[in-house]
Amino acid sequence: MSILNVFTGPDIVLLGCDTEADFEDGTRANLTKSLVIPHLNAVIGFRGRSFMFLCVVPAFLGHAGTFDELAIRMPELINQASDYCLENLSTPSNELGANFVLSGYSPDAGHMVTHSFVRLPSGEIKTDLDVREFISPDFGASEIPKGIRADKNGMIMLARHQAHLVRERGHTDCQAGGKFLITEIRARGIFIEAAFDFPPR
């Protein structure tokens, strides 16, 4: 799993994620954990097993409907990807827990939105629509540094703190490294910045 944070305002969404990936043989690499869908002016962020994301990317890119129609279809598409992993990659269901966020301009709502979709190890999809923020890994409100604002500097501060906690506490199921990418999503444009590099391990 990865760092994936989203701050959502009426006119802009900030989506931040790291790029580090761990493989079963102990090697590490950098991977993209967010997907820009240009024709919808939307971004999907992900944390989980990389092959799960790779399985569903074509369906996201090939979606021919609106942003709001994609939001409705997200659980179906996530289930199709997990079914493929179960049937063709022999991946146990309990290893397919994943987080997806869909951020962009919703014509139905008339403002920027973020929807959260969590695939639980049991296979259930938990959906939260129009969330103001998504923070993962979430160590609890008491662990969030005081004074963090829902802006780019606040997102950088939060990600650095998350990485510190992950490494300090020896979490083996969470990556926190590589580059930290911040995607700014507005109604008519998307900008991606490599905000900083995490310290080497």
mmCIF file of all heavy atoms in Angstrom, residues 141-171:
data_model
loop_
_atom_site.group_PDB
_atom_site.id
_atom_site.type_symbol
_atom_site.label_atom_id
_atom_site.label_comp_id
_atom_site.label_asym_id
_atom_site.label_seq_id
_atom_site.Cartn_x
_atom_site.Cartn_y
_atom_site.Cartn_z
ATOM 1 N N ALA A 141 -6.414 10.995 13.878
ATOM 2 C CA ALA A 141 -6.356 12.459 13.964
ATOM 3 C C ALA A 141 -5.254 12.922 14.906
ATOM 4 O O ALA A 141 -4.624 13.964 14.679
ATOM 5 C CB ALA A 141 -7.708 12.999 14.418
ATOM 6 N N SER A 142 -4.982 12.166 15.958
ATOM 7 C CA SER A 142 -3.975 12.581 16.929
ATOM 8 C C SER A 142 -2.573 12.547 16.345
ATOM 9 O O SER A 142 -1.651 13.171 16.886
ATOM 10 C CB SER A 142 -4.037 11.683 18.171
ATOM 11 O OG SER A 142 -3.700 10.344 17.843
ATOM 12 N N GLU A 143 -2.383 11.817 15.242
ATOM 13 C CA GLU A 143 -1.057 11.704 14.627
ATOM 14 C C GLU A 143 -0.816 12.727 13.522
ATOM 15 O O GLU A 143 0.270 12.805 12.971
ATOM 16 C CB GLU A 143 -0.863 10.292 14.049
ATOM 17 C CG GLU A 143 -0.796 9.194 15.086
ATOM 18 C CD GLU A 143 0.548 9.152 15.798
ATOM 19 O OE1 GLU A 143 1.371 10.063 15.586
ATOM 20 O OE2 GLU A 143 0.773 8.216 16.566
ATOM 21 N N ILE A 144 -1.834 13.498 13.166
ATOM 22 C CA ILE A 144 -1.668 14.497 12.118
ATOM 23 C C ILE A 144 -1.059 15.753 12.734
ATOM 24 O O ILE A 144 -1.571 16.263 13.739
ATOM 25 C CB ILE A 144 -3.013 14.836 11.439
ATOM 26 C CG1 ILE A 144 -3.553 13.605 10.724
ATOM 27 C CG2 ILE A 144 -2.856 15.993 10.463
ATOM 28 C CD1 ILE A 144 -4.896 13.807 10.075
ATOM 29 N N PRO A 145 0.057 16.232 12.192
ATOM 30 C CA PRO A 145 0.692 17.427 12.769
ATOM 31 C C PRO A 145 -0.267 18.615 12.805
ATOM 32 O O PRO A 145 -1.097 18.793 11.912
ATOM 33 C CB PRO A 145 1.873 17.701 11.820
ATOM 34 C CG PRO A 145 2.134 16.397 11.137
ATOM 35 C CD PRO A 145 0.800 15.715 11.037
ATOM 36 N N LYS A 146 -0.145 19.413 13.846
ATOM 37 C CA LYS A 146 -0.986 20.600 13.986
ATOM 38 C C LYS A 146 -0.633 21.607 12.888
ATOM 39 O O LYS A 146 0.507 21.715 12.456
ATOM 40 C CB LYS A 146 -0.770 21.260 15.357
ATOM 41 C CG LYS A 146 -1.043 20.340 16.537
ATOM 42 C CD LYS A 146 -2.479 19.909 16.594
ATOM 43 C CE LYS A 146 -2.715 19.061 17.850
ATOM 44 N NZ LYS A 146 -4.006 18.388 17.806
ATOM 45 N N GLY A 147 -1.640 22.330 12.453
ATOM 46 C CA GLY A 147 -1.411 23.411 11.512
ATOM 47 C C GLY A 147 -1.400 23.016 10.051
ATOM 48 O O GLY A 147 -1.092 23.847 9.198
ATOM 49 N N ILE A 148 -1.722 21.759 9.746
ATOM 50 C CA ILE A 148 -1.763 21.358 8.334
ATOM 51 C C ILE A 148 -3.005 21.951 7.679
ATOM 52 O O ILE A 148 -4.117 21.780 8.167
ATOM 53 C CB ILE A 148 -1.757 19.824 8.193
ATOM 54 C CG1 ILE A 148 -0.355 19.294 8.476
ATOM 55 C CG2 ILE A 148 -2.207 19.401 6.794
ATOM 56 C CD1 ILE A 148 -0.177 17.834 8.194
ATOM 57 N N ARG A 149 -2.775 22.642 6.574
ATOM 58 C CA ARG A 149 -3.879 23.231 5.818
ATOM 59 C C ARG A 149 -4.112 22.406 4.567
ATOM 60 O O ARG A 149 -3.225 21.692 4.097
ATOM 61 C CB ARG A 149 -3.548 24.675 5.449
ATOM 62 C CG ARG A 149 -3.289 25.566 6.655
ATOM 63 C CD ARG A 149 -2.791 26.919 6.212
ATOM 64 N NE ARG A 149 -3.698 27.538 5.262
ATOM 65 C CZ ARG A 149 -4.198 28.762 5.400
ATOM 66 N NH1 ARG A 149 -3.871 29.490 6.432
ATOM 67 N NH2 ARG A 149 -5.004 29.245 4.494
ATOM 68 N N ALA A 150 -5.308 22.543 4.004
ATOM 69 C CA ALA A 150 -5.671 21.776 2.805
ATOM 70 C C ALA A 150 -5.149 22.480 1.559
ATOM 71 O O ALA A 150 -5.908 22.856 0.661
ATOM 72 C CB ALA A 150 -7.185 21.596 2.744
ATOM 73 N N ASP A 151 -3.819 22.647 1.502
ATOM 74 C CA ASP A 151 -3.183 23.239 0.341
ATOM 75 C C ASP A 151 -1.934 22.425 0.008
ATOM 76 O O ASP A 151 -1.657 21.397 0.630
ATOM 77 C CB ASP A 151 -2.854 24.717 0.573
ATOM 78 C CG ASP A 151 -1.940 24.954 1.774
ATOM 79 O OD1 ASP A 151 -1.262 24.001 2.234
ATOM 80 O OD2 ASP A 151 -1.884 26.102 2.260
ATOM 81 N N LYS A 152 -1.178 22.884 -0.979
ATOM 82 C CA LYS A 152 -0.021 22.108 -1.439
ATOM 83 C C LYS A 152 1.029 21.943 -0.333
ATOM 84 O O LYS A 152 1.557 20.852 -0.129
ATOM 85 C CB LYS A 152 0.600 22.778 -2.668
ATOM 86 C CG LYS A 152 1.652 21.907 -3.351
ATOM 87 C CD LYS A 152 2.297 22.625 -4.527
ATOM 88 C CE LYS A 152 1.309 22.932 -5.605
ATOM 89 N NZ LYS A 152 1.958 23.524 -6.813
ATOM 90 N N ASN A 153 1.320 23.015 0.395
ATOM 91 C CA ASN A 153 2.298 22.917 1.472
ATOM 92 C C ASN A 153 1.815 21.963 2.566
ATOM 93 O O ASN A 153 2.610 21.203 3.138
ATOM 94 C CB ASN A 153 2.594 24.296 2.066
ATOM 95 C CG ASN A 153 3.424 25.153 1.133
ATOM 96 O OD1 ASN A 153 4.166 24.648 0.299
ATOM 97 N ND2 ASN A 153 3.297 26.473 1.260
ATOM 98 N N GLY A 154 0.522 22.002 2.850
ATOM 99 C CA GLY A 154 -0.034 21.084 3.845
ATOM 100 C C GLY A 154 0.065 19.639 3.395
ATOM 101 O O GLY A 154 0.346 18.740 4.202
ATOM 102 N N MET A 155 -0.146 19.400 2.111
ATOM 103 C CA MET A 155 -0.050 18.038 1.593
ATOM 104 C C MET A 155 1.383 17.528 1.666
ATOM 105 O O MET A 155 1.623 16.367 1.989
ATOM 106 C CB MET A 155 -0.580 17.983 0.157
ATOM 107 C CG MET A 155 -0.548 16.597 -0.433
ATOM 108 S SD MET A 155 -1.671 16.422 -1.830
ATOM 109 C CE MET A 155 -3.235 16.250 -0.973
ATOM 110 N N ILE A 156 2.345 18.391 1.380
ATOM 111 C CA ILE A 156 3.753 18.009 1.482
ATOM 112 C C ILE A 156 4.108 17.682 2.931
ATOM 113 O O ILE A 156 4.749 16.665 3.225
ATOM 114 C CB ILE A 156 4.658 19.130 0.927
ATOM 115 C CG1 ILE A 156 4.496 19.230 -0.599
ATOM 116 C CG2 ILE A 156 6.112 18.911 1.310
ATOM 117 C CD1 ILE A 156 5.158 20.449 -1.215
ATOM 118 N N MET A 157 3.685 18.532 3.860
ATOM 119 C CA MET A 157 3.962 18.301 5.271
ATOM 120 C C MET A 157 3.347 16.980 5.739
ATOM 121 O O MET A 157 3.982 16.195 6.461
ATOM 122 C CB MET A 157 3.413 19.465 6.104
ATOM 123 C CG MET A 157 3.763 19.386 7.592
ATOM 124 S SD MET A 157 2.950 20.677 8.580
ATOM 125 C CE MET A 157 3.564 22.141 7.771
ATOM 126 N N LEU A 158 2.110 16.721 5.320
ATOM 127 C CA LEU A 158 1.428 15.486 5.713
ATOM 128 C C LEU A 158 2.150 14.265 5.170
ATOM 129 O O LEU A 158 2.372 13.287 5.893
ATOM 130 C CB LEU A 158 -0.022 15.520 5.211
ATOM 131 C CG LEU A 158 -0.852 14.253 5.438
ATOM 132 C CD1 LEU A 158 -0.970 13.931 6.926
ATOM 133 C CD2 LEU A 158 -2.241 14.414 4.813
ATOM 134 N N ALA A 159 2.542 14.291 3.910
ATOM 135 C CA ALA A 159 3.209 13.137 3.299
ATOM 136 C C ALA A 159 4.560 12.857 3.955
ATOM 137 O O ALA A 159 4.920 11.698 4.196
ATOM 138 C CB ALA A 159 3.379 13.361 1.800
ATOM 139 N N ARG A 160 5.303 13.909 4.247
ATOM 140 C CA ARG A 160 6.590 13.710 4.936
ATOM 141 C C ARG A 160 6.367 13.059 6.299
ATOM 142 O O ARG A 160 7.129 12.172 6.711
ATOM 143 C CB ARG A 160 7.315 15.046 5.096
ATOM 144 C CG ARG A 160 7.866 15.638 3.805
ATOM 145 C CD ARG A 160 8.697 16.885 4.131
ATOM 146 N NE ARG A 160 9.073 17.655 2.970
ATOM 147 C CZ ARG A 160 10.094 17.379 2.163
ATOM 148 N NH1 ARG A 160 10.839 16.327 2.392
ATOM 149 N NH2 ARG A 160 10.369 18.161 1.128
ATOM 150 N N HIS A 161 5.337 13.497 6.999
ATOM 151 C CA HIS A 161 5.038 12.942 8.327
ATOM 152 C C HIS A 161 4.601 11.479 8.210
ATOM 153 O O HIS A 161 5.031 10.639 9.011
ATOM 154 C CB HIS A 161 3.955 13.781 9.004
ATOM 155 C CG HIS A 161 3.669 13.362 10.411
ATOM 156 N ND1 HIS A 161 4.583 13.515 11.429
ATOM 157 C CD2 HIS A 161 2.571 12.780 10.959
ATOM 158 C CE1 HIS A 161 4.063 13.042 12.552
ATOM 159 N NE2 HIS A 161 2.850 12.604 12.295
ATOM 160 N N GLN A 162 3.751 11.170 7.235
ATOM 161 C CA GLN A 162 3.331 9.783 7.031
ATOM 162 C C GLN A 162 4.527 8.878 6.755
ATOM 163 O O GLN A 162 4.633 7.777 7.309
ATOM 164 C CB GLN A 162 2.331 9.697 5.874
ATOM 165 C CG GLN A 162 0.960 10.256 6.183
ATOM 166 C CD GLN A 162 0.122 10.408 4.930
ATOM 167 O OE1 GLN A 162 0.543 11.054 3.964
ATOM 168 N NE2 GLN A 162 -1.050 9.809 4.928
ATOM 169 N N ALA A 163 5.427 9.334 5.892
ATOM 170 C CA ALA A 163 6.606 8.538 5.562
ATOM 171 C C ALA A 163 7.470 8.313 6.797
ATOM 172 O O ALA A 163 7.996 7.219 7.015
ATOM 173 C CB ALA A 163 7.415 9.218 4.461
ATOM 174 N N HIS A 164 7.605 9.343 7.612
ATOM 175 C CA HIS A 164 8.389 9.214 8.847
ATOM 176 C C HIS A 164 7.775 8.138 9.753
ATOM 177 O O HIS A 164 8.496 7.292 10.295
ATOM 178 C CB HIS A 164 8.449 10.559 9.567
ATOM 179 C CG HIS A 164 9.041 10.480 10.935
ATOM 180 N ND1 HIS A 164 10.391 10.309 11.148
ATOM 181 C CD2 HIS A 164 8.456 10.530 12.164
ATOM 182 C CE1 HIS A 164 10.623 10.263 12.454
ATOM 183 N NE2 HIS A 164 9.472 10.398 13.083
ATOM 184 N N LEU A 165 6.452 8.166 9.921
ATOM 185 C CA LEU A 165 5.793 7.187 10.787
ATOM 186 C C LEU A 165 5.911 5.775 10.218
ATOM 187 O O LEU A 165 6.153 4.820 10.956
ATOM 188 C CB LEU A 165 4.320 7.559 10.970
ATOM 189 C CG LEU A 165 4.028 8.819 11.780
ATOM 190 C CD1 LEU A 165 2.521 9.042 11.882
ATOM 191 C CD2 LEU A 165 4.643 8.748 13.169
ATOM 192 N N VAL A 166 5.732 5.637 8.898
ATOM 193 C CA VAL A 166 5.834 4.319 8.268
ATOM 194 C C VAL A 166 7.214 3.718 8.522
ATOM 195 O O VAL A 166 7.338 2.551 8.915
ATOM 196 C CB VAL A 166 5.560 4.413 6.751
ATOM 197 C CG1 VAL A 166 6.025 3.159 6.027
ATOM 198 C CG2 VAL A 166 4.074 4.651 6.496
ATOM 199 N N ARG A 167 8.241 4.515 8.328
ATOM 200 C CA ARG A 167 9.611 3.997 8.473
ATOM 201 C C ARG A 167 9.994 3.820 9.941
ATOM 202 O O ARG A 167 10.615 2.823 10.303
ATOM 203 C CB ARG A 167 10.585 4.923 7.766
ATOM 204 C CG ARG A 167 10.334 4.970 6.256
ATOM 205 C CD ARG A 167 11.322 5.858 5.548
ATOM 206 N NE ARG A 167 11.014 5.965 4.121
ATOM 207 C CZ ARG A 167 11.829 6.526 3.242
ATOM 208 N NH1 ARG A 167 12.985 7.029 3.624
ATOM 209 N NH2 ARG A 167 11.480 6.595 1.964
ATOM 210 N N GLU A 168 9.595 4.773 10.771
ATOM 211 C CA GLU A 168 9.941 4.697 12.191
ATOM 212 C C GLU A 168 9.311 3.478 12.853
ATOM 213 O O GLU A 168 9.924 2.821 13.701
ATOM 214 C CB GLU A 168 9.477 5.973 12.902
ATOM 215 C CG GLU A 168 9.731 5.991 14.402
ATOM 216 C CD GLU A 168 9.131 7.217 15.052
ATOM 217 O OE1 GLU A 168 7.892 7.352 15.060
ATOM 218 O OE2 GLU A 168 9.917 8.034 15.562
ATOM 219 N N ARG A 169 8.092 3.153 12.443
ATOM 220 C CA ARG A 169 7.356 2.064 13.091
ATOM 221 C C ARG A 169 7.509 0.726 12.362
ATOM 222 O O ARG A 169 6.921 -0.271 12.761
ATOM 223 C CB ARG A 169 5.881 2.434 13.202
ATOM 224 C CG ARG A 169 5.686 3.666 14.071
ATOM 225 C CD ARG A 169 4.262 4.128 14.158
ATOM 226 N NE ARG A 169 4.168 5.331 14.970
ATOM 227 C CZ ARG A 169 3.025 5.975 15.225
ATOM 228 N NH1 ARG A 169 1.884 5.510 14.725
ATOM 229 N NH2 ARG A 169 3.021 7.057 15.973
ATOM 230 N N GLY A 170 8.286 0.739 11.280
ATOM 231 C CA GLY A 170 8.594 -0.512 10.602
ATOM 232 C C GLY A 170 7.419 -1.166 9.909
ATOM 233 O O GLY A 170 7.354 -2.398 9.825
ATOM 234 N N HIS A 171 6.488 -0.363 9.382
ATOM 235 C CA HIS A 171 5.349 -0.934 8.663
ATOM 236 C C HIS A 171 5.850 -1.608 7.382
ATOM 237 O O HIS A 171 6.452 -0.964 6.522
ATOM 238 C CB HIS A 171 4.320 0.140 8.307
ATOM 239 C CG HIS A 171 3.596 0.688 9.493
ATOM 240 N ND1 HIS A 171 2.545 0.042 10.092
ATOM 241 C CD2 HIS A 171 3.787 1.827 10.211
ATOM 242 C CE1 HIS A 171 2.102 0.751 11.116
ATOM 243 N NE2 HIS A 171 2.843 1.841 11.210
#
